Amino acid sequence: MAVERTLSIIKPDATERNITGKINNFFEEGGLRIAAQKRIHLTMGQAQQFYSVHKERPFFGELCDYMVSGPVVVQVLEGENAVVRNREIMGATNPAQAEEGTVRKAHGVDVQANSVHGSDSPENAAIEIAFFFSGTEIVG
Ligand code: CMP
């Protein structure tokens, strides 16, 4: 399996509770390297564009409002099979259904405030990484 990259976002519920270090520990203990990272406050335009795949969903408005409600940490995670590995580390979208030992089981609040986002495919990872980072900002 080749080394791969995925886009991760530590969401406002986690930055608000000051647990970004605890979450990064899950990634590093899980075998992923943080190859780029920055703390930013998304604009509404960025949130709407980033989540445009969900724009027809009933929760789209709430999701975007939530994502601009506080700072986020956007990250590039790198490692073997990083897209799938990160999704294992995060756990199910709804923290109530997440397995023990996952970020969302440990720290997620509800299906919206679920602490982390991770790309769902290598194709989307490339698009999502380019949304936030230039190549020179990523050091694996
Ligand atoms: P994420 O992995 O960032 O991808 C889309 C996000 O939409 C998801 O995590 C949740 O934060 C949010 N989401 C998904 N389903 C729901 C829902 N039923 N109600 C509210 N938010 C949701």
Side-chain angles (χ1 to χ4, degrees), residues 9 11 50-51 54 57 59-60 62-63 66-67 87 90 93 104 110-118:
I9 305 178
K11 295 185 179 184
F50 184 81
Y51 279 119
H54 296 304
R57 303 281 193 100
F59 57 81
F60 180 68
E62 279 178 24
L63 171 61
Y66 162 65
M67 291 299 290
R87 294 180 74 78
M90 290 192 299
T93 302
R104 285 166 170 163
D110 57 37
V111 73
Q112 177 173 273
N114 60 359
S115 300
V116 281
H117 165 82

Side-chain angles (χ1 to χ4, degrees), residues 8-15 17 19-20 23 27 66-67 72-73 75 90 93 95 103-118:
S8 165
I9 305 178
I10 302 180
K11 295 185 179 184
D13 67 274
T15 59
R17 286 177 286 158
I19 56 171
T20 63
I23 291 176
F27 300 139
Y66 162 65
M67 291 299 290
V72 298
V73 177
Q75 312 174 294
M90 290 192 299
T93 302
V103 175
R104 285 166 170 163
K105 176 70 177 181
H107 297 300
V109 178
D110 57 37
V111 73
Q112 177 173 273
N114 60 359
S115 300
V116 281
H117 165 82

